[in-house]
Amino acid sequence: MTHIRARIGVLGLALVAGLTATPGASAADASTVEERRLDRTAPQEILRRSGFDTVAAEFARALGRADSYEQARHIVVQQGSRLWRRAVDRAQGRGPAGGDLSRDDDRPLYWARLGMTREVRQWEPDFGLSGPQRAQLLDALEENSRGQNAIRYPHTKGVKRILVTGFDPFTLDRDIRISNPSGATALALDGTTIQTADGPARVETAMFPVRWQDFGDGVVERTLRPYLPHVDLFTTVSQGRVGRFDVERTNGAWRGGYPDNQNLSVTGIVPVTDPASQPQWTSTTLPYKAIVAADTGRFPVYDNTSVTEIPAGGTDPVVRPDGPTPGSTARAGGGGDYLSNEIAYRATLLRDRLGLHSTLPGGHVHTPVLQFGTGNTDPATGTVTDPEFVRNRLDIIAQVRAILAVAVDAPAPSPSPAPAPAPAPANATERTRG
């Protein structure tokens, strides 16, 4: 997730828009900012060319048959789970493609889910639906359509367990056609087995929204807490810099304020339970040396050690290429100050609070930015897909899979001095990714 600090004017406008476009929990609020993008040309084409254009209407008909809240909740859970499974099956080549859109595409799931949430938000059943009940239906739909409660590992002896997370598309007001390779990776790898030098490893995945509020409400901890004590490796994944993978060495406890998918901006310390014991920094326990050294694909992979801090006793942010200094205050982790940094911070803090720092390899991997092909870069005139776009996404998915195979086989890193910093991004003002 990338933005340029020079975009101050854009950020200010987005913040103002966000403050006047708060997501609602009742039918009186016709739709959210995310849902209002749904009727634009590109989302409708993506849905039509994947066969997901009927999802919202079929869901609305099913919901209309409910004559109680309990029945409605059952339908929401069932239909949400079905959407997740349909998206995973499509990505992995099972069942009909539903259209000519590449199977590896994550966008049909995103836009179809928004069609479903809009139906719940606008639904007015005869039996009456309170605000809290509507909010609970929306929560159930989110959890089930993101695979957050569908993580299942076999009890087969000798099979390692890997947990991977991905994100929705984001920065959609900049380019409505955007796909997120981390989300595509989650769909492609969910429930699959990786054959490693040390034996088979089962991968389970879940998807997360690009929304500050959901993270503040604890969606990351709620999803990951039941599984971290029982897995052999976890990796949060998001889109990062152009042309490179990064293993982010350090995560910071700071929200930088870039607008999310609801155009809401939040700045301040990452809100967690027990803030009195909250550290400014957390660190990866992924085997970064082994990952960087391995030949995992066509994109270079870096051990990114840079952070931005306010030094102890200081007042101004300073970029530290070799990690934070003692007593400093976080302003950006290696992965920036957006939701990619935050999911990495929350997941690794949860690992540490569960007492797993020394035994569980885990951290964050940033993928390359998923780019459209030459001549298809203008959102106003470009197409929703092209051969280079598909090739780039497939190559990123394959390389994440290879990185996981290396990571689950390698010993966890022992504490050591940070290596020489990786080359700076092409745009030196780049700060936030997700």
Side-chain angles (χ1 to χ4, degrees):
M1 299 182 180
T2 307
H3 88 277
I4 309 303
R5 282 290 179 184
R7 297 176 179 267
I8 300 299
V10 175
L11 177 58
L13 290 173
L15 174 57
V16 172
L19 291 175
T20 59
T22 304
S26 72
D29 302 310
S31 58
T32 67
V33 171
E34 281 189 283
E35 291 161 0
R36 285 195 288 275
R37 297 186 185 103
L38 181 59
D39 295 322
R40 294 172 62 179
T41 301
Q44 290 301 309
E45 180 180 350
I46 289 166
L47 289 171
R48 184 177 65 255
R49 293 177 63 180
S50 61
F52 280 55
D53 53 337
T54 62
V55 168
E58 291 169 357
F59 173 65
R61 287 194 292 272
L63 199 58
R65 293 192 290 269
D67 57 14
S68 68
Y69 168 75
E70 289 73 21
Q71 285 189 6
R73 181 175 175 82
H74 175 76
I75 291 168
V76 164
V77 169
Q78 181 185 61
Q79 296 283 325
S81 299
R82 183 176 298 173
L83 176 63
W84 171 255
R85 184 47 49 195
R86 179 176 174 179
V88 169
D89 286 346
R90 186 178 193 275
Q92 296 181 17
R94 292 185 291 272
D100 66 346
L101 202 64
S102 175
R103 280 184 176 267
D104 53 283
D105 205 313
D106 59 302
R107 297 172 296 177
L109 170 62
Y110 175 71
W111 293 112
R113 181 192 302 114
L114 288 176
M116 294 173 73
T117 60
R118 185 164 64 178
E119 292 294 341
V120 173
R121 213 176 301 278
Q122 297 176 345
W123 184 44
E124 290 288 7
D126 292 339
F127 60 82
L129 192 66
S130 69
Q133 286 177 326
R134 192 183 304 276
Q136 289 166 11
L137 292 181
L138 288 166
D139 287 345
L141 179 54
E142 289 279 343
E143 291 171 6
N144 285 276
S145 65
R146 294 180 177 281
Q148 292 173 359
N149 54 7
I151 297 169
R152 302 287 187 273
Y153 290 103
H155 296 289
T156 308
K157 188 176 181 180
V159 177
K160 290 187 175 181
R161 301 176 175 190
I162 301 174
L163 182 58
V164 176
T165 69
F167 273 108
D168 289 345
F170 66 107
T171 63
L172 294 154
D173 291 333
R174 187 163 64 191
D175 190 341
I176 194 71
R177 306 172 300 160
I178 277 174
S179 162
N180 194 323
S182 71
T185 297
L187 294 176
L189 298 185
D190 185 56
T192 63
T193 298
I194 296 176
Q195 296 298 332
T196 76
D198 197 34
R202 170 68 170 255
V203 182
E204 290 288 321
T205 71
M207 199 89 77
F208 286 90
V210 183
R211 296 191 296 251
W212 294 110
Q213 185 63 53
D214 295 68
F215 276 50
D217 289 341
V219 65
V220 174
E221 293 83 355
R222 190 164 57 249
T223 302
L224 301 186
R225 183 177 286 109
Y227 304 105
L228 288 194
H230 308 291
V231 300
D232 298 285
L233 176 86
F234 74 88
T235 308
T236 53
V237 183
S238 64
Q239 179 176 256
R241 302 169 177 88
V242 174
R244 59 187 273 181
F245 277 85
D246 288 279
V247 181
E248 304 297 352
R249 184 81 74 88
T250 307
N251 319 297
W254 186 255
R255 294 174 153 190
Y258 190 69
D260 64 8
N261 275 353
Q262 294 282 50
N263 286 344
L264 295 176
S265 177
V266 181
T267 303
I269 193 166
V270 171
V272 297
T273 58
D274 192 15
S277 67
Q278 179 178 10
Q280 285 294 305
W281 308 100
T282 64
S283 61
T284 190
T285 49
L286 290 172
Y288 49 84
K289 291 183 180 179
I291 294 171
V292 169
D295 180 10
T296 54
R298 70 179 172 101
F299 297 102
V301 184
Y302 294 104
D303 167 23
N304 184 35
T305 60
S306 179
V307 300
T308 302
E309 66 174 18
I310 297 177
T315 57
D316 298 322
V318 176
V319 176
R320 299 289 191 193
D322 297 323
T325 57
S328 65
T329 301
R331 282 299 176 268
D337 56 12
Y338 196 38
L339 287 160
S340 58
N341 168 76
E342 183 159 333
I343 197 170
Y345 177 84
R346 288 180 177 277
T348 50
L349 177 60
L350 177 61
R351 173 204 63 198
D352 296 349
R353 286 181 165 180
L354 291 172
L356 301 171
H357 182 91
S358 62
T359 58
L360 177 58
H364 192 78
V365 172
H366 262 124
T367 76
V369 172
L370 179 56
Q371 296 179 300
F372 286 97
T374 304
N376 189 28
T377 57
D378 186 345
T381 60
T383 59
V384 299
T385 189
D386 61 62
E388 186 176 346
F389 179 69
V390 173
R391 173 178 175 258
N392 288 336
R393 186 167 52 211
L394 288 171
D395 285 353
I396 290 170
I397 292 169
Q399 194 159 350
V400 173
R401 190 176 187 276
I403 286 171
L404 294 175
V406 171
V408 78
D409 266 351
S414 57
S416 61
N427 187 334
T429 61
E430 182 183 318
R431 284 283 303 281
T432 303
R433 290 154 291 279

